Amino acid sequence: QVSQVESGGGSVQAGGSLRLSCAASGSDFAIDYMAWSRGTPGMEREFVASITSGDITYYADSVKGRFTISRDNAKNTVYLQMNSLKPEDTAVYYCHSTNRGRNSWGQGTQVTVSS
């Protein structure tokens, strides 16, 4: 069973940058699919970005051009580089994965963007 731990969250002013990391464990091979989603109190989690083991990426329209997802398959670590941050990006960011048909979620890391 794959598990993951997020890090890199924090507070930043609008226009700033943060880099989130997610270190996964429980697989000896590249994890099939890794992604980031986010949520705020009172709102359902929304998809942010994803990447496959073959480095195929997909982004939500709201972050396209500002966020970049990448991964190190040897380390089974996924990153989310967030640039030009906006207050609307404030949320808890969750790393999640699918490997061999099994899904898993991290506990999340808080990102706060002030104006």
Side-chain angles (χ1 to χ4, degrees), residues 32-36 47-61 63-65 67-73 78-81:
D32 297 335
Y33 172 96
M34 301 186 75
W36 292 92
F47 168 82
V48 174
S50 64
I51 187 168
T52 69
S53 60
D55 289 337
I56 299 173
T57 60
Y58 187 83
Y59 298 91
D61 288 340
V63 306
K64 192 175 298 182
F67 291 9
T68 302
I69 189 171
S70 62
R71 64 186 291 168
D72 184 335
N73 289 336
V78 64
Y79 307 94
L80 186 67
Q81 179 67 47

Side-chain angles (χ1 to χ4, degrees), residues 3 20 59 80 99 102:
S3 61
L20 306 183
Y59 298 91
L80 186 67
N99 193 57
R102 297 182 177 181

Side-chain angles (χ1 to χ4, degrees), residues 16-28:
S17 299
L18 285 173
R19 188 188 189 220
L20 306 183
S21 298
C22 174
S25 62
S27 177
D28 293 331

